Amino acid sequence: MAIGAVTLFFGLVIDRLIGDPRSNFHPVALIGRFIGLWGRTTYYHRRTERFIGICGWLLTVSIVILPCLLILLYTPWYISLPFSILVLAFCVGWRSLEEHVGAVETALEQGEEEGRKAVQYLVSRDTKTLTFEQIRSGAYESAAENLVDSIISPIFWFVVFELLFGMGIIGAVMFRSANTMDAMLGYKDERIRLGWFPARMDDILAFIPARITGAVLLLIFLLKGRIKQAWYIFKHDRKLRPGFNGGIPMSLIAGGCGVMFEKPGVYQIGYPEQTLAEGGRSIISTIRWCTVICAAIGILLLIFI
């Protein structure tokens, strides 16, 4: 289990140092390309799309897990350990999450139109009429939601699989594959039937991590003296965000940081005690502290259990 703790620690360190290299050969990009091969509604009869979605999910996860499993089982530790550290760094999107928000802030310095173009990479909404505050909302609410999807969930499943099987990296790549399928197919448009199973599996796999994230955020805001505000927004606004999980970190961060997240015509989460330009640093700081605390808990579990 100590090897798992080493892997988790250095995986996060490498992610902070180098982030996600932009390459067509990045593992997540390769997963996305494979999903693109089967994840097209034009290939199938409408009645078979749900079944294809199930089969495609199982096939994708299996193909991604298999090489990791072979390396863990049949290579010496001086190969499997660096491999696991590097793959875990690819599965966690801590630095890239902050970089995406930073890119939007940088674009906004050049004007509203540039900000709209930058935030298009983070949200699925129509960005043509978004104001400065709404553009920032798209960026920061994406960061708040992806605290669960890009950071805490991969850490959680790494720790679970390491404790149960001594193969933590299998859990991390399983979740990253599932989350990538949801990101590509889990929409209520022509992909709704094909993406139904990937979307449900992503909800299931992120269910416990989202609630762990919520508990850690409450601890952070307790220490900051903002727990009442965070809890109030959590109680009243968390269900405004569709889905089982995304509303938890979004509502707690909005309340605890005193900002409002807005998707025009869909929801307003939080009360704007300050603008997102003013509260952005607090949001990023909260995400960092939540990541560090959850990682520390995971490392301690791997050392002492």
Side-chain angles (χ1 to χ4, degrees):
M1 296 308 171
I3 294 296
V6 170
T7 302
L8 178 54
F9 176 80
F10 283 103
L12 292 174
V13 168
I14 289 176
D15 175 73
R16 287 305 301 180
L17 290 176
I18 66 173
D20 276 338
R22 296 188 178 184
S23 168
N24 290 330
F25 297 101
H26 189 291
V28 177
L30 294 174
I31 294 171
R33 285 160 67 182
F34 179 73
I35 296 166
L37 292 177
W38 64 264
R40 300 182 184 181
T41 56
T42 54
Y43 287 169
Y44 317 107
H45 191 281
R46 180 169 177 164
R47 292 180 180 178
T48 66
E49 286 180 353
R50 287 180 186 267
F51 177 72
I52 295 296
I54 295 171
C55 294
W57 191 94
L58 293 171
L59 179 63
T60 302
V61 170
S62 299
I63 287 176
V64 173
I65 284 177
L66 182 60
C68 298
L69 186 62
L70 293 175
I71 289 173
L72 291 177
L73 289 175
Y74 297 111
T75 62
W77 70 268
Y78 52 82
I79 294 176
S80 61
L81 178 58
F83 171 81
S84 296
I85 291 171
L86 188 60
V87 171
L88 181 61
F90 287 140
C91 289
V92 175
W94 183 9
R95 175 167 172 167
S96 63
L97 183 151
E98 294 183 21
E99 287 176 341
H100 289 316
V101 174
V104 173
E105 287 286 7
T106 300
L108 282 172
E109 293 175 3
Q110 302 173 41
E112 218 169 46
E113 192 56 39
E114 292 301 316
R116 289 173 184 146
K117 292 178 183 177
V119 83
Q120 279 183 328
Y121 294 102
L122 303 179
V123 297
S124 58
R125 70 199 61 171
D126 184 1
T127 63
K128 294 177 183 177
T129 60
L130 296 183
T131 65
F132 275 99
E133 189 72 359
Q134 290 168 343
I135 292 167
R136 284 194 172 93
S137 179
Y140 284 108
E141 69 186 71
S142 176
E145 180 182 3
N146 280 292
L147 170 60
V148 173
D149 290 341
S150 296
I151 304 175
I152 307 305
S153 289
I155 291 173
F156 172 82
W157 286 109
F158 175 87
V159 173
V160 168
F161 271 66
E162 187 67 29
L163 290 173
L164 292 178
F165 311 112
M167 297 182 177
I169 197 62
I170 301 298
V173 298
M174 174 196 68
F175 180 80
R176 178 51 54 217
S177 302
N179 186 249
T180 303
M181 280 184 274
D182 175 60
M184 293 181 66
L185 303 174
Y187 294 91
K188 293 182 179 180
D189 52 20
E190 69 278 0
R191 295 166 287 186
I192 189 169
R193 289 170 297 279
L194 191 64
W196 174 83
F197 187 77
R200 296 293 76 74
M201 287 304 299
D202 183 71
D203 287 340
I204 291 168
L205 292 173
F207 187 87
I208 296 175
R211 282 141 186 86
I212 292 172
T213 302
V216 173
L217 288 172
L218 285 172
L219 173 62
I220 292 170
F221 291 126
L222 173 64
L223 297 175
K224 289 185 174 183
R226 295 280 305 180
I227 191 168
K228 289 184 178 179
Q229 296 88 337
W231 183 253
Y232 179 85
I233 299 301
F234 171 75
K235 286 197 304 180
H236 289 84
D237 291 359
R238 73 182 186 279
K239 293 183 179 179
L240 297 178
R241 165 63 169 80
F244 298 109
N245 305 315
I248 295 174
M250 287 173 60
S251 61
L252 286 169
I253 289 175
C257 295
V259 298
M260 184 177 75
F261 296 136
E262 178 184 10
K263 183 175 182 178
V266 181
Y267 56 72
Q268 290 181 328
I269 296 176
Y271 179 78
E273 300 175 42
Q274 58 182 339
T275 66
L276 284 163
E278 297 165 332
R281 287 188 179 181
S282 177
I283 294 171
I284 297 301
S285 173
T286 299
I287 289 171
R288 288 178 178 175
W289 275 110
C290 188
T291 300
V292 170
I293 292 170
C294 288
I297 293 171
I299 288 170
L300 291 174
L301 288 172
L302 291 171
I303 292 173
F304 293 110
I305 292 182

